[in-house]
Amino acid sequence: MTSDDIEIIGVGMHPFGRYTTASLKDLNRVACVSALIDAGLGVRDIDAVYAANAMAGLLQGQEMIRGQSAMREIGIERVPVTNVENACASGSTALRQAVLAIRAGSADVVLVAGVEKMFVEDRSRTLAALESAGDLDVISGIGLQFTAVYGMRLRKLIAAGRLTVDDLVAVSVKSHANGERNPYAQHRKVVSPEEVLGSRPIADPLTLLMCSSICDGAAAVVVARRGAVPVEKPTIRIRASQAATGYTTTGNEPSLTELCAAAAYAEAGFGPEDVDVAEVHDAMAPAELIAYEQLGFCSPGDAGALLDSGTTQIDGSRPVNPSGGLSSRGHAVGATGLAQIAELTWQLRGEATGRQTQRPRIGLAHNNGGWLEGESAVSCVHLLERTDPWD
């Protein structure tokens, strides 16, 4: 069996944002029940669960059985529940584990769920939890956050003439404009270039309106072996599911995202030119520009020109982050990868009301996580295909 034999039959989300009175179980319940309803299934139809979360141990004190406790609350018991923690790529890693389980023949229908509750009374605890996604032997005690890592990368690209500050501002404006159209997004407000540039400095050249923020949310996906469940909605198949781990580099080797994307394209049997819509990991909105190059959407140094061309706008020929991306839809860490998959599924089905792109057939999800010295700790790339013709 290959990934092509696995279908996405249901997706659901709890809107991303700040939910001071909602628990992890509350957020998870909304996403999972929505995904099951979308799939036309009940809890007894699920053969296995992969539950993604990154911070509940540090922020809510719930370790070891996070998935089991959340799933029992919605009536899923007895079947194997596997907890997945893999930094910001926890959700996409959980999806890959579900794909592997179905390929192996150990399950026909699998629920994949991701949940995160980052708002707690003491904000410093959340920031410390985020810092723990880096190699502490390298960053402990120096206060290095991901914003600083992105800032250093962007400064190098600007100095090399590959990006401009205007590019960083323009992609941030695009992110917020898309988020405003997404009912699941955390930040639903259009912003001007002047507002982006004039917002509080975070890590030069990044400003507040270029960055994702603390976020609560949940997302869920139901995947099944082809033919296991009758489906009336357009068929969405998983054509590739790849993951890779950061490695020691001299700086001359391909990036982790490039390696992971190349493996995904090889598995699917097509290339970046075939991608119609993409959700990419932009914890800082300008990281979308870096992804353009690493995913093969343009040549090195051409990211700004690609953005200026309108190609990556919602009405362009290859929209990127129609959801608003991590920086505007929100980055509820353990749920982010599955939120990307939910968005692409809605796009490929033609159900992304208010932000629908132009009849896409191939969707790409790119989700990175953590930080090792000089590189992300993990990268996941999934490729989805709508196999039914558009009317």
Side-chain angles (χ1 to χ4, degrees), residues 250-340:
T250 64
N252 298 317
E253 295 86 359
S255 69
L256 184 63
T257 292
E258 289 175 277
L259 291 175
C260 195
Y265 291 138
E267 180 183 351
F270 49 71
E273 66 279 1
D274 297 303
V275 174
D276 298 309
V277 59
E279 285 284 317
V280 306
H281 193 92
D282 67 329
M284 312 301 148
E288 179 179 320
L289 299 166
I290 298 173
Y292 291 170
E293 298 183 9
Q294 294 180 340
L295 295 170
F297 296 160
C298 69
S299 301
D302 288 343
L306 181 65
L307 177 67
D308 290 343
S309 73
T311 297
T312 60
Q313 297 283 351
I314 281 181
D315 58 356
S317 59
R318 182 180 292 133
V320 177
N321 286 347
S323 71
L326 281 63
S327 56
S328 293
R329 182 206 59 236
H331 184 22
V333 174
T336 286
L338 297 175
Q340 292 178 326

Side-chain angles (χ1 to χ4, degrees), residues 146-152 154-155 200-207 211:
F146 288 101
T147 48
V149 174
Y150 278 109
M152 289 186 290
L154 290 167
R155 287 198 298 274
R200 178 164 58 88
I202 300 298
D204 183 49
L206 294 167
T207 67
C211 302

Side-chain angles (χ1 to χ4, degrees), residues 331-356:
H331 184 22
V333 174
T336 286
L338 297 175
Q340 292 178 326
I341 297 297
E343 176 67 22
L344 290 177
T345 300
W346 288 320
Q347 291 287 346
L348 295 175
R349 287 179 180 171
E351 297 175 351
T353 303
R355 62 192 186 285
Q356 181 61 49

